[in-house]
Amino acid sequence: MAAHSFVFCSCYASFIFLLICKGILGSTFTFKNRCDYMVWPGILSSAGSTPLDSTGFELNPGESRSFQASPGWSGRFWGRTGCAFDANGQGTCKTGDCGSNQISCNGAGAIPPATLAEFTIGSGSGTGSNPLDFYDVSLVDGYNLPMAIDASGGTGACGSTGCVTDLNRMCPSELKAGDGQACKSACEAFGNEEYCCSGSFGSPDTCRPSVYSEIFKSACPRSYSYAYDDATSTFTCTSADYTITFCPASTSQKSSTDPSTPTSTGTPNAPPMIPRAPMPEDDPSGSSWLPSFAIGGSSRRTSHNVLTWTPISFLVLYFFQL
């Protein structure tokens, strides 16, 4: 019986050790390109955050790539499109360009308009730290391509968010950028304090949704549509990994009915997640996208499958020895 107790204690200790490792390692970000064209993701780490292993790279259709972020990391991601780089990696992009004239953005952010994924990863569970991750998809700086964020392996609400509607096709003419490959925010297009939530409109009480931000919000109800659109646009999770998908389909695997309602990660039959505005040519029998997290990642990643199956395997072994 003592041997059985030792096995059980070992199982429990191993499980706790894996959870601690997850807290130490932070989160894994995986970028997936489901567009039918190449995307060049850009990465900007906030001041004080340990930079990721890249600040910009190319991602072919169907490809994915992962990066490890340390606890407390914060920053933003976006997709650049219509890029042309020479053999030396020199060039520019039609949308989302960061002005570095290189594939790497080297600490520069996206030039609007661009769809942004913004993250602050929890700093741990010690004294004075915050274990919560905060994330959102923002259209405050305009829009250039569809994007979605899905969390895996975390605890809490961990809702999926994003903008899966092609806003370029419903962009008002006064907001269209270039040849219609991006859609400006009203702030960028007109520069008014009312649209920019600045000056006398620089507070939640004075800056209200505009007719333009309402267009964005109607099409992408879970994304930031203007600066103070916090209530329905900021999401939280604890100890999760995240997949950022360019050009996702109209549905995902988690419920979108209530952002504050906890949802179980990886539920195969959960209702559709990210609603989008209907398009005239939409096929009523169109397919749904169910994201898969079984993809390559950083060698430092602690797999959530391991976290799930390790204690189960140990328990099975324990009962077999009874």
Side-chain angles (χ1 to χ4, degrees):
M1 190 66 182
H4 294 159
S5 299
F6 174 77
V7 171
F8 182 79
C9 289
S10 298
C11 299
Y12 183 76
S14 299
F15 180 54
I16 295 300
F17 175 75
L18 289 173
L19 290 178
I20 293 175
C21 285
K22 171 59 187 170
I24 294 173
L25 292 176
S27 297
T28 297
F29 293 117
T30 298
F31 298 86
K32 300 173 72 173
N33 182 8
R34 292 186 177 270
C35 305
D36 57 5
Y37 50 86
M38 185 177 291
V39 174
W40 287 260
I43 300 176
L44 177 63
S45 299
S46 300
S49 293
T50 301
L52 304 189
D53 290 340
S54 176
T55 60
F57 57 98
E58 65 179 27
L59 202 61
N60 288 301
E63 285 188 341
S64 63
R65 184 170 175 183
S66 299
F67 298 91
Q68 187 73 32
S70 59
W73 184 89
S74 66
R76 54 178 51 178
F77 309 123
W78 67 98
R80 294 169 288 171
T81 66
C83 302
F85 294 103
D86 61 22
N88 297 318
Q90 302 287 314
T92 59
C93 302
K94 290 184 177 180
T95 76
D97 193 62
C98 52
S100 66
N101 295 317
Q102 297 179 354
I103 293 179
S104 296
C105 287
N106 301 322
I111 298 173
T115 314
L116 302 175
E118 302 174 316
F119 285 88
T120 296
I121 300 301
S123 55
S125 56
T127 303
S129 60
N130 187 349
L132 280 178
D133 301 340
F134 293 86
Y135 57 98
D136 66 80
V137 168
S138 173
L139 307 178
V140 175
D141 287 345
Y143 168 98
N144 68 329
L145 81 171
M147 179 190 294
I149 298 173
D150 285 279
S152 64
T155 59
C158 301
S160 295
T161 185
C163 181
V164 303
T165 298
D166 186 357
L167 287 179
N168 293 331
R169 288 159 49 205
M170 59 174 58
C171 183
S173 58
E174 59 269 34
L175 300 186
K176 287 186 177 181
D179 55 0
Q181 293 182 328
C183 189
K184 297 178 183 179
S185 68
C187 174
E188 182 190 0
F190 307 116
N192 296 351
E193 290 184 349
E194 181 179 359
Y195 293 142
C196 297
C197 293
S198 60
S200 60
F201 293 91
S203 73
D205 294 329
T206 57
C207 190
R208 310 303 300 169
S210 69
V211 62
Y212 294 106
S213 70
E214 290 286 8
I215 293 174
F216 285 9
K217 196 65 177 177
S218 176
C220 300
R222 299 202 113 194
S223 297
Y224 263 89
S225 60
Y226 76 106
Y228 294 108
D229 191 13
D230 300 82
T232 60
S233 307
T234 301
F235 297 84
T236 60
C237 193
T238 301
S239 299
D241 289 334
Y242 297 95
T243 298
I244 299 93
T245 304
F246 302 107
C247 301
S250 61
T251 57
S252 186
Q253 76 187 99
K254 295 177 189 171
S255 173
S256 63
T257 54
D258 183 359
S260 64
T261 302
T263 57
S264 59
T265 301
T267 304
N269 295 317
M273 161 49 203
I274 309 171
R276 69 173 175 87
M279 293 296 180
E281 68 273 23
D282 280 348
D283 181 357
S285 61
S287 60
S288 297
W289 170 55
L290 297 180
S292 170
F293 300 105
I295 54 181
S298 167
S299 59
R300 293 179 291 167
R301 177 182 180 185
T302 299
S303 169
H304 290 295
N305 288 332
V306 173
L307 293 179
T308 301
W309 288 106
T310 297
I312 294 175
S313 300
F314 279 134
L315 289 174
V316 171
L317 176 63
Y318 169 71
F319 285 113
F320 265 115
Q321 295 187 35
L322 289 179

